[in-house]
Amino acid sequence: MTMHKREWPTVVALAPVLLLVLAPFAWLIVSSLKSEIEIGQADPLSLPANLMWRNYQDAWQIGGFSELIGNSFLNLAGVVALTLLTCTPAGYALSKIRFPGREWLFYAFILGLTIPIQAIVIPLYEVLTALGLVNSLSGIVLAQVSNGIPFGIFLMRSFFTNVPDELVEAAKVDGATHLQILTKVFLPISTPAVQALIIISALSTWNDFFLPLVVLISPQVQTLPLGLVRFAGTYSSEYRLVFSGTVISFLPIILLYILTQRRFTEGLTQGAIKG
Amino acid sequence: MSRRLLGLTLVLPALAVIAFLFILPLIMSAVGAFQVDGAFGWGNFEKTFDLYTKDIVFTVVIVSISTVLIGIASIAIGGYLTLGEHPVAVAILRWLYRWPMFIPFIVVGQILRTFLSKNGMMNNVAINLGLLTPIDAVSFLDWRGIVIAFVWKQTPFVALLVAGAMASINRETIDAARNLGASRLRVLIEIVVPQVGTTLTVGLILSFVTMMSVLSVPLMINAQTPTMLTADIAFRVNSYGDYGVANALGLISLLLASSVAWIYLRASLKERS
């Protein structure tokens, strides 16, 4: 009890931090349910007289959010699938198969983590143009996969490194090949890391603005962040639409967070990413 | 199949994608940065430093300040989650601190643009509480807004890694120090933080590079000069079609990010040897 009493100053000190985290969310959501006149009154602490669910209906229709969300989901599915297919075997090989140049190859991949996307974005556009992939979802998928591979390999290798080598040796004694060890031994015990990779990959793809801005030109193929900017720019004076459109754009990813937060945390902290 | 061949085969798909869509563009970017009217030279870099020295310094300062603040906030959050003794406060913090990580930068920019403006929520609350008069209200839509956006968005990611690493530290050393009368702050600084140094560095480097690459926040929060290099690249391409200077700016961003990553790589190699 004494301990708890001593704790109160810390708890009080944490309150503004929590407020800072929550306030923008709360304000945005409350404002998205106000009328244009109520928003114009600039009283941030007031609640809406009537909940204006119509704002969401209007934003959804005017902003074409169904198409944007559809494109974002296709984009996300492609990136997540390809990231898993490339990073899992590479992470295993770089962790458990001893071959000359393994360490250097790993550091070469890690170097990719340090390359800001703006350093390559113009030539990347040229490469995609040459391949006929500009303005297509397959083009953006490939570009985002290449951007996500360094972190994916880093994550999977970190996790696999923490699995004892004895497990590999035991499986080999039983006659298993490396491919069998990867698919039948390592993948089943790597669920937290795989799930963390899926979530991180999904998150960064869903939220990406820079690469889609360069690669996806016509509105028909654009993803949610691009659509939101276009929408907010066109209806910048209609705050109720901008606010509700903004909430619509992050609701799916918040839902993903609520559903997966425990697994996501486990994957990132149970052995993965320890340098 | 030999081990070398097997290892390379498993790495090959990732390597092919990286080589074609990462390394090749990087080489093309480097070549493009040195190309002026079909010949090689330093022209693009001279022009870049003439026009954008202030923005380069601005970018480094903004990202560095943000990185330091993210580090401090992450240690504070991770430290409280590890050493906090009030279960309800720990549970609330654990539930809450990760939320901003899931919000796209574009939405963070959109929220903070209206939140931090002269007649935004922050000033309105201060005015309503009598802490500020309307005439004294100032907009935070400048370097401060960018720093707030970066710290708000990136702290949860680093805090998550740091808190995970702190949770795996042997509790006995912490309890022993506490029993000997060390304060929680001292335990945090002298026992806990040194043991999670590598994880903290990894998280901060990843955040540094991420912040260097963000376009939406500087565009939405601080459109005036000085601004960040990503906004300059977009401006050179969209307004002038000047790919040479844009490539040079990209290469400078790469050098800045790589120099920070080198710190990690050197420490990592030293640890392994």
Side-chain angles (χ1 to χ4, degrees):
Chain A
M1 200 63 181
T2 324
M3 281 291 183
H4 286 191
K5 274 184 184 167
R6 278 212 319 248
E7 198 83 359
W8 279 111
T10 322
V11 175
V12 170
L14 276 173
V17 178
L18 300 184
L19 196 71
L20 206 68
V21 172
L22 276 185
F25 277 114
W27 176 64
L28 183 74
I29 291 166
V30 171
S31 300
S32 72
L33 291 166
K34 286 181 176 177
S35 68
E36 204 63 53
I37 296 169
E38 285 172 319
I39 296 171
Q41 284 165 348
D43 181 2
L45 301 175
S46 70
L47 292 171
N50 294 306
L51 296 178
M52 298 287 288
W53 294 108
R54 197 191 153 78
N55 293 346
Y56 283 88
Q57 207 179 335
D58 291 346
W60 183 272
Q61 278 168 359
I62 297 168
F65 278 95
S66 52
E67 199 178 12
L68 292 170
I69 289 177
N71 287 339
S72 277
F73 268 116
L74 280 176
N75 178 205
L76 182 150
V79 172
V80 169
L82 281 179
T83 303
L84 280 179
L85 281 173
T86 50
C87 294
T88 312
Y92 174 80
L94 292 171
S95 166
K96 294 296 174 196
I97 302 176
R98 294 189 187 283
F99 60 93
R102 182 179 77 156
E103 288 286 306
W104 288 109
L105 210 52
F106 172 64
Y107 284 119
F109 278 117
I110 290 303
L111 198 69
L113 278 175
T114 70
I115 300 176
I117 195 66
Q118 69 266 29
I120 60 162
V121 77
I122 297 162
L124 180 64
Y125 177 81
E126 289 169 22
V127 171
L128 290 174
T129 306
L131 293 170
L133 292 172
V134 165
N135 208 21
S136 72
L137 282 174
S138 39
I140 190 67
V141 165
L142 279 176
Q144 286 170 330
V145 169
S146 71
N147 197 29
I149 279 178
F151 183 76
I153 289 180
F154 180 60
L155 181 79
M156 294 311 293
R157 182 189 175 271
S158 298
F159 193 90
F160 289 146
T161 303
N162 286 315
V163 178
D165 287 342
E166 288 77 11
L167 209 60
V168 180
E169 298 308 321
K172 271 190 195 166
V173 170
D174 287 342
T177 62
H178 272 294
L179 213 58
Q180 286 169 324
I181 297 171
L182 170 64
T183 52
K184 294 191 174 147
V185 180
F186 271 64
L187 277 184
I189 59 169
S190 310
T191 324
V194 171
Q195 283 171 338
L197 182 58
I198 290 173
I199 297 163
I200 288 175
S201 178
L203 192 64
S204 59
T205 306
W206 189 270
N207 295 347
D208 192 11
F209 175 69
F210 204 158
L211 277 174
L213 179 72
V214 175
V215 179
L216 303 174
I217 298 152
S218 59
Q220 290 75 24
V221 289
Q222 285 183 347
T223 51
L224 207 47
L226 290 181
L228 179 67
V229 170
R230 186 161 40 86
F231 179 69
T234 312
Y235 298 96
S236 57
S237 56
E238 291 199 52
Y239 287 108
R240 67 181 187 96
L241 292 180
V242 174
F243 290 150
S244 46
T246 308
V247 175
I248 290 172
S249 72
F250 71 69
L251 269 186
I253 213 74
I254 285 290
L255 203 66
L256 178 77
Y257 167 63
I258 291 168
L259 292 174
T260 60
Q261 56 171 318
R262 222 185 86 212
R263 283 167 185 163
F264 174 64
T265 311
E266 276 173 13
L268 277 183
T269 54
Q270 265 185 17
I273 313 200
K274 292 213 175 140
Chain B
M1 195 186 284
S2 77
R3 272 196 302 194
R4 183 186 185 132
L5 198 61
L6 179 71
L8 287 175
T9 308
L10 290 176
V11 173
L12 196 64
L15 199 60
V17 176
I18 286 278
F20 214 60
L21 294 171
F22 222 75
I23 307 294
L24 177 64
L26 188 64
I27 295 167
M28 287 166 72
S29 175
V31 172
F34 287 100
Q35 239 170 8
V36 189
D37 301 327
F40 285 99
W42 292 94
N44 290 325
F45 286 93
E46 284 164 10
K47 200 169 164 186
T48 299
F49 284 111
D50 275 350
L51 295 172
Y52 296 114
T53 302
K54 255 188 190 168
D55 289 357
I56 294 169
V57 175
F58 181 79
T59 304
V60 172
V61 171
I62 290 284
V63 176
S64 302
I65 291 173
S66 305
T67 306
V68 171
L69 292 176
I70 291 167
I72 293 169
S74 306
I75 290 169
I77 292 171
Y80 191 73
L81 291 178
T82 312
L83 304 172
E85 287 159 0
H86 193 288
V88 178
V90 170
I92 292 174
L93 183 63
R94 194 185 303 281
W95 181 75
L96 213 55
Y97 84 91
R98 298 184 207 128
W99 283 80
M101 186 167 59
F102 283 76
I103 305 298
F105 269 114
I106 191 82
V107 173
V108 175
Q110 180 66 33
I111 294 175
L112 291 183
R113 184 161 70 166
T114 37
F115 188 79
L116 300 173
S117 68
K118 196 172 176 182
N119 48 7
M121 183 198 178
M122 198 177 67
N123 283 327
N124 276 326
V125 169
I127 291 165
N128 283 346
L129 294 174
L131 301 171
L132 206 67
T133 60
I135 207 158
D136 293 327
V138 287
S139 166
F140 270 59
L141 297 180
D142 48 27
W143 67 273
R144 291 168 297 188
I146 300 180
V147 170
I148 290 170
F150 283 163
V151 174
W152 193 77
K153 173 82 172 81
Q154 285 301 117
T155 297
F157 175 69
V158 182
L160 179 64
L161 300 182
V162 169
M166 284 180 179
S168 61
I169 291 175
N170 186 358
R171 284 294 309 188
E172 284 170 15
T173 51
I174 296 171
D175 293 338
R178 294 286 282 146
N179 289 338
L180 287 169
S183 68
R184 270 187 298 171
L185 189 64
R186 197 166 167 203
V187 170
L188 179 67
I189 293 168
E190 292 182 15
I191 295 177
V192 176
V193 172
Q195 293 188 64
V196 298
T198 314
T199 306
L200 179 65
T201 314
V202 171
L204 290 178
I205 288 170
L206 290 175
S207 283
F208 189 94
V209 179
T210 303
M211 290 185 287
M212 288 282 301
S213 310
V214 174
L215 171 66
S216 49
V217 169
L219 278 188
M220 298 182 91
I221 289 183
N222 177 56
Q224 72 258 23
T225 54
T227 189
M228 291 189 63
L229 293 180
T230 41
D232 291 331
I233 293 173
F235 177 71
R236 284 319 295 181
V237 172
N238 292 334
S239 302
Y240 296 105
D242 187 353
Y243 295 101
V245 169
N247 277 325
L249 283 166
L251 219 57
I252 290 166
S253 306
L254 172 66
L255 285 177
L256 294 173
S258 303
S259 55
V260 175
W262 175 244
I263 299 167
Y264 161 70
L265 208 61
R266 209 178 53 176
S268 174
L269 282 171
K270 202 173 158 188
E271 207 173 89
R272 274 159 211 255
S273 65

